[in-house]
Amino acid sequence: MDTTVMPPDATDKLIPGSARVELTSTEGDPVKPNSRFKITAGENMSKFRQVTGCMRSNALTILSVLGVLSGGILAVILRYARDGRYTQREIAYVMFPGDLFLRMLKALIIPLIVSSLISAIGSLDLKMSGKIGARAVAYYMSTTCCAVVLGIILATSIRPGKGGNVDEISRPTQGARPTTTPDLLMDLVRNLFPPNLIQACIAQYKTVLVPPTDEQFLAAMNATEGPINKTAIPLSEWRMKYEIEPSTNILGLVVFALVLGITLGKMGPKGKPLLDLFSCLSEAFMIITSWVIHLSPIGVLFLVTAQMLEMESFEVIVGQLGMYFLTVMLGLFTHGFIVLTSMYFLITKRMPFQFIGNMAEALATAFATSSSTATVPVALACLEDKNGIDPRVTRFVMPIGATINMDGTALYEAVAALFIAQVRGISLTLGNIIAISITSTAASIGAAGIPQAGLVTMVMVLDTVGLPAEDVTLILAVDWFLDRFRTFTNVLGDSLGAGIVNHLSKKDLSEMPPPQQFVTIPPMANPDDFTLEMEKELNGMAVTTAERSQPAEDVWQSTSIEQMEQRDGDEKQRLNGKETLC
């Protein structure tokens, strides 16, 4: 069958720019009406364009996922390409590109979180802020409790530590920092109210217990009949010392941003200039974040490669701690892709797969950096640009979620405590399990989004049920790897929570004015020309030279839409007054 392109007839209804196609058989006879035929060239071209368009729009996401997979493959190849281990200097060379990417992300954390929180809360009235905050906190508490319960169910049913021996599990020589549960809880509350905001950007407050001196040890030994060692002296009797730990106090900065945002919202017009400053800062750092995100595939690849080269042995994961590793992984997968997605579907009535797919860059960054706070800039960009979440919700919910919503950490700590008890052969009562669930929830909130912060709070969970704090070292061999999956689950929970809160708050947000936008106009020499120019600026039209009077000064002003409308109304009243006098 041949085709002939003919010019369109007057009766043809064609799209402009198209042509009529006449089909003829190979013998020259025209094809009968209603004959079945198939033209595949156009359809194939259309499908090809759709595929290429999808690849182009999701190129960064695909490259970020490939960066994680390529990093793992490259690490395996490099490990088995030589007999000995890589030196610290060689690993540092591999780590260098990823370290630069991580430094860029960390540089954006404080200014982005603080400015985003202040601008988001300040742009909402106090009642609306309370509604969004209550919905977010309710979501965080419910998912964290679900994670803890799921971890306890898996650990008690699978029993990963059954038949294990403490002496058979290799542990590092460095022990856990001695601490008590009251000290950790008081440090958590103290860090909520930093005395110095500048210091809070680089340091946290912590309580350190000093081991007893020789004189105290001799006094304790004389007070008892038998011989004792220093570890037998209770930690509550150790001397307390207060130190400043070099780590960002993200909890204190979040509390400060919350209070300042509420204050600016209550101040009204007086607080508008400062609120506009933070709004502008937030937008500026979001633009910088979009630039940094383009480096994520390379940074993720080298971060994963270096971390896997640094691991002592792959056999530990599948050997001594194999069942513990699988139990935690099963719990994280179940919570992330079954519990959280089901909750999202039931509340929003939408399938979560496209939403999660749009968050691939943030999830890959979370896996590579193992830091929830370092992933906040990337997650904000994915939520706002790809999933269309209202910025007033994302910039309110995500910084708080990255600080207190640690579903993966809560599940991990519950499983780890039960695993250590099983290895020790200690039978836990129902009261002990309930205590583990409560302390795991509290500890996950106190674990700021920094790498391996869960190990510090893990001591509090063990102390609750009377397990030795040094047993934390039993799980250190696989903690670095599980930490990445925990962070992955934490960021996934924060992102889905932003989508749920946005869905629940959509009606309330629609009744409020949209976020303030800014346009730039010059000061007018002739006030009569202001209305015409303002209308054209708002409609996105260019103002010609003939329509614009010569500016009185060569200075440009940044004027909000609300201010322009107010000036326009005042100008009309002035002109009406002139006409009445005339």
Side-chain angles (χ1 to χ4, degrees), residues 341-375:
T341 54
S342 299
M343 189 178 295
Y344 179 87
F345 173 75
L346 292 175
I347 295 176
T348 65
K349 302 298 187 294
R350 294 180 181 177
M351 298 301 290
F353 305 116
Q354 184 178 359
F355 186 97
I356 296 175
N358 291 335
M359 296 299 302
E361 295 168 30
L363 297 176
T365 305
F367 182 85
T369 61
S370 69
S371 172
S372 298
T373 50
T375 313

Side-chain angles (χ1 to χ4, degrees), residues 9 31 111 127 151 221 235 245 253 270 308-309 385 390 445 464 469 540:
D9 295 335
V31 177
K127 183 179 179 182
M221 187 171 60
L235 291 177
E245 183 181 21
L253 294 174
K270 290 184 178 179
M308 293 190 71
L309 287 177
D385 298 339
D390 194 306
I445 297 174
T464 303

Side-chain angles (χ1 to χ4, degrees), residues 43 145 507:
E43 293 180 3
C145 291
K507 182 179 178 181

Side-chain angles (χ1 to χ4, degrees), residues 302-338:
F302 286 100
L303 281 173
V304 173
T305 303
Q307 288 292 336
M308 293 190 71
L309 287 177
E310 206 170 13
M311 186 176 65
E312 291 189 7
S313 175
F314 285 115
E315 289 75 15
V316 176
I317 295 179
V318 296
Q320 300 169 336
L321 300 173
M323 287 303 297
Y324 166 72
F325 177 82
L326 291 177
T327 303
V328 176
M329 289 295 296
L330 178 62
L332 294 176
F333 178 84
T334 304
H335 182 74
F337 291 100
I338 296 180

